[in-house]
C-alpha cells in the first residue's frame, strides 16, 4: 500500500479526527447535541458550547424504579420512534450455562439502538424501552445484571459530558493536537472503571479503543514533518501490518468504496450507462451487493422525484403566503402529509428547516 499526503490533506485529516474524538458522540443519552460546527479547513475550532449534564441520581431512579401495572402501556413499546421504524432490531442477548448475562457487544448495541432516538423522545422513555427489551429477553439474575450494566453505562455516558466540558473549558479556544486528544481519551478510558466492571469495559470498548489508538498513531505519522514521504509510506505500511486484522479489513473496504465511487462518477461523466455502473459494481463487490446498491439508487431516485413534486406545491403555498414567516403551518403540515409519512415526514421537515428556514 502506497501513501501520498499533502500538507493540506494532513492538516484536514488531523483536524477532522481531533474534532471527532473531542466532540462527536453518537449515543450520549444524557446530553444535548452540541450546537457548534467545526471549520473543516482549519486546525482551530469555533468556541464549543458546554454539554448539559444531568443529576446522576436521576439516572439511578430511572433504572431502578419499578412501574406499577397502571403505568405500563404495552402499545407504547410496540410503536417505535420514527427514526427506529423499519430498522432491524438489535441482536438477541446471550445467556451462559449459569443463566447469567453474557455482557458482550450485543448488550451495548441494544442500549445504543434505543439511545439513537434521543431528541425524539425524552430520556425517561428511552430508558423505559431499554428496560422493557431487557425484561423480554432476561429474567432472574441475568435481568438484574442487565439493569446494573445499564445504569453504569448511562452514568458513564453522563460523566463523558463532564469530562468533555472540562476539556472544552481548558482548551476550547486553542488549536487541538494529539497531546490533547490522548489526554482526553485517557481520562475517558480511566473513568469507565468507576461505573462498570473490567470485563464489561473490555467487552464494550476494546475494539473502539483499538481503532482510536490506530487512528492516533496514523495521524501522528501523517503529521510528522521530520519524515520523508517514503518513510511515512514504510511506517504506515508497518502500522497496518501490526494492527488487528479487522481494522485493516475495515480500511480496505472503506478504500474500495471510495475508489469505486470515483470510478462510477468518471464512468457517468464519460457517458456510461447504469448498466455499465452495475457491471463495475459486480466486478468490485459481487452480484448480491451490486443488486443491493441498484435498489438503493432506485429508492433515492424515487425520493428525489417525490421531493421535486412536493416542492412544486410548496412553492405555490409560499407564493400565496408571500413570506416563509407568514405560511400557514397547518396547511404546510397537510401538504407534507400528502407526500410523505413516517421517517420520510421527519426527513422532509429537517430539509425544509435547513434549506428554506421553515
Amino acid at each position: 500500500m502506497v501513501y501520498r499526503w499533502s500538507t493540506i490533506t494532513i492538516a484536514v485529516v488531523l483536524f477532522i479526527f481531533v474534532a471527532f474524538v473531542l466532540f462527536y458522540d453518537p449515543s450520549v443519552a444524557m446530553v444535548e447535541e452540541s450546537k457548534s460546527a467545526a471549520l473543516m479547513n482549519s486546525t482551530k475550532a469555533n468556541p464549543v458550547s458546554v454539554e448539559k449534564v444531568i443529576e446522576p441520581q436521576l439516572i439511578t431512579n430511572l433504572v431502578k424504579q419499578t412501574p406499577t401495572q397502571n403505568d405500563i402501556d404495552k402499545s407504547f413499546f410496540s410503536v417505535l420512534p420514527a427514526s427506529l421504524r423499519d430498522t432491524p432490531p438489535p441482536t438477541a442477548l446471550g445467556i451462559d450455562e449459569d443463566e447469567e448475562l453474557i455482557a458482550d457487544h450485543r448488550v451495548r448495541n441494544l442500549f445504543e439502538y434505543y439511545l439513537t432516538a434521543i431528541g425524539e423522545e425524552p430520556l425517561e422513555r428511552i430508558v423505559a424501552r431499554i428496560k422493557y427489551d431487557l425484561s423480554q429477553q432476561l429474567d432472574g439474575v441475568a435481568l438484574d445484571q442487565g439493569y446494573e450494566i445499564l445504569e453504569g453505562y448511562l452514568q458513564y455516558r453522563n460523566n463523558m459530558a463532564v469530562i468533555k466540558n472540562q476539556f472544552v473549558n481548558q482548551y476550547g479556544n486553542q488549536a487541538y493536537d494529539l497531546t490533547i486528544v490522548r489526554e482526553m481519551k485517557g481520562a475517558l478510558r480511566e473513568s469507565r472503571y468507576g461505573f462498570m466492571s473490567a470485563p464489561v469495559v473490555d467487552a464494550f470498548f476494546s475494539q473502539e479503543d483499538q481503532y482510536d489508538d490506530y487512528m492516533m498513531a496514523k495521524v501522528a505519522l501523517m503529521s510528522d514533518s521530520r519524515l520523508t514521504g517514503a518513510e511515512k509510506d514504510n511506517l504506515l505500511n508497518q502500522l497496518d501490518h501490526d494492527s488487528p486484522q479487522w481494522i485493516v479489513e475495515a480500511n480496505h473496504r472503506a478504500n474500495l468504496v471510495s475508489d469505486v465511487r470515483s470510478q462510477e462518477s468518471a464512468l457517468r461523466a464519460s457517458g456510461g450507462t447504469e448498466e455499465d455502473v452495475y457491471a463495475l459494481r459486480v466486478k468490485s463487490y459481487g452480484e448480491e451487493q451490486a443488486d443491493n446498491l441498484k435498489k438503493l439508487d432506485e429508492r433515492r431516485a424515487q425520493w428525489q422525484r417525490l421531493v421535486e413534486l412536493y416542492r412544486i406545491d410548496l412553492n405555490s403555498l409560499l407564493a400565496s403566503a408571500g413570506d416563509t414567516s407568514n405560511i400557514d403551518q397547518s396547511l404546510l403540515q397537510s401538504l407534507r402529509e400528502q407526500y410523505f409519512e413516517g421517517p420520510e415526514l421527519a426527513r422532509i421537515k429537517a430539509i425544509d428547516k435547513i434549506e428554506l428556514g421553515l
Side-chain angles (χ1 to χ4, degrees), residues 187-224:
L188 290 171
R189 291 182 185 185
E190 183 178 352
S191 71
R192 295 168 185 161
Y193 297 95
F195 304 101
M196 293 167 283
S197 67
V200 171
V201 169
D202 183 64
F204 279 16
F205 302 103
S206 60
Q207 282 202 334
E208 178 182 313
D209 291 345
Q210 286 176 352
Y211 189 74
D212 283 346
D213 291 341
Y214 171 84
M215 283 301 301
M216 285 189 284
K218 189 169 186 176
V219 171
L221 287 174
M222 291 165 57
S223 58
D224 192 340

Side-chain angles (χ1 to χ4, degrees), residues 94-102:
I95 304 295
D96 66 18
E97 58 186 13
D98 296 321
E99 299 297 318
E100 295 189 358
L101 174 63
I102 299 175

Side-chain angles (χ1 to χ4, degrees), residues 27 39 65 79 86 111 118 131-132 142 164 175 227 243 273 321 330 344 355 357-358:
S27 57
L39 291 174
Q65 67 185 8
V79 180
D86 300 321
F111 297 163
I118 196 66
K131 290 173 61 179
Y132 180 77
K164 289 183 178 181
L227 298 173
S243 297
T273 66
S330 62
E344 290 184 347
E355 297 183 356
L358 290 175

Side-chain angles (χ1 to χ4, degrees), residues 29-303:
M30 285 63 60
V31 300
E32 295 179 342
E33 182 177 354
S34 172
K35 297 179 178 62
S36 64
L39 291 174
M40 302 307 288
N41 60 348
S42 170
T43 55
K44 285 182 178 287
N46 288 329
V48 180
S49 302
V50 295
E51 295 183 337
K52 182 179 179 181
V53 181
I54 69 172
E55 289 295 329
Q57 187 59 46
L58 174 59
I59 297 173
T60 299
N61 294 342
L62 290 177
V63 175
K64 292 188 179 302
Q65 67 185 8
T66 303
T68 64
Q69 191 64 33
N70 293 333
D71 294 330
I72 299 176
D73 181 1
K74 294 296 179 64
S75 63
F76 163 71
F77 298 109
S78 64
V79 180
L80 292 172
S83 64
L84 297 182
R85 294 171 194 165
D86 300 321
T87 61
T91 305
L93 304 179
I95 304 295
D96 66 18
E97 58 186 13
D98 296 321
E99 299 297 318
E100 295 189 358
L101 174 63
I102 299 175
D104 56 13
H105 66 280
R106 291 173 292 182
V107 179
R108 186 186 182 192
N109 290 346
L110 184 149
F111 297 163
E112 297 289 2
Y113 177 78
Y114 294 104
L115 290 174
T116 57
I118 196 66
E120 292 182 80
E121 291 191 315
L123 179 60
E124 292 81 358
R125 286 175 172 260
I126 291 175
V127 173
R129 291 187 189 279
I130 296 174
K131 290 173 61 179
Y132 180 77
D133 197 324
L134 291 173
S135 69
Q136 296 304 293
Q137 300 190 57
L138 310 171
D139 56 26
V141 174
L143 181 58
D144 291 340
Q145 292 170 333
Y147 288 160
E148 180 182 357
I149 295 172
L150 172 61
E151 181 184 356
Y153 189 71
L154 296 178
Q155 295 286 11
Y156 163 67
R157 285 303 196 179
N158 192 48
N159 192 62
M160 285 180 67
V162 175
I163 295 174
K164 289 183 178 181
N165 289 344
Q166 292 171 350
F167 276 77
V168 168
N169 292 335
Q170 185 174 357
Y171 300 111
N173 294 321
Q174 298 182 29
Y176 301 123
D177 58 32
L178 283 182
T179 302
I180 299 174
V181 174
R182 289 193 177 102
E183 184 180 350
M184 182 177 176
K185 293 300 293 185
L188 290 171
R189 291 182 185 185
E190 183 178 352
S191 71
R192 295 168 185 161
Y193 297 95
F195 304 101
M196 293 167 283
S197 67
V200 171
V201 169
D202 183 64
F204 279 16
F205 302 103
S206 60
Q207 282 202 334
E208 178 182 313
D209 291 345
Q210 286 176 352
Y211 189 74
D212 283 346
D213 291 341
Y214 171 84
M215 283 301 301
M216 285 189 284
K218 189 169 186 176
V219 171
L221 287 174
M222 291 165 57
S223 58
D224 192 340
S225 60
R226 298 168 300 177
L227 298 173
T228 66
E231 288 172 334
K232 289 180 181 180
D233 290 344
N234 291 333
L235 290 172
L236 288 168
N237 281 323
Q238 186 62 46
L239 176 62
D240 281 346
H241 180 269
D242 296 338
S243 297
Q245 186 62 28
W246 72 268
I247 291 180
V248 177
E249 292 174 354
N251 285 340
H252 174 73
R253 288 194 298 270
N255 291 334
L256 176 62
V257 170
S258 178
D259 291 343
V260 173
R261 283 177 178 171
S262 296
Q263 294 178 54
E264 288 177 10
S265 298
L267 192 58
R268 289 189 171 103
S270 63
T273 66
E274 290 305 308
E275 287 74 16
D276 296 328
V277 171
Y278 178 79
L280 171 63
R281 289 173 172 175
V282 171
K283 180 180 178 181
S284 303
Y285 303 128
E287 187 172 349
E288 181 178 357
Q289 184 62 20
D291 288 339
N292 291 336
L293 289 172
K294 183 179 180 181
K295 293 176 182 177
L296 179 60
D297 286 344
E298 291 171 351
R299 289 198 298 271
R300 286 173 174 168
Q302 183 180 14
W303 162 262

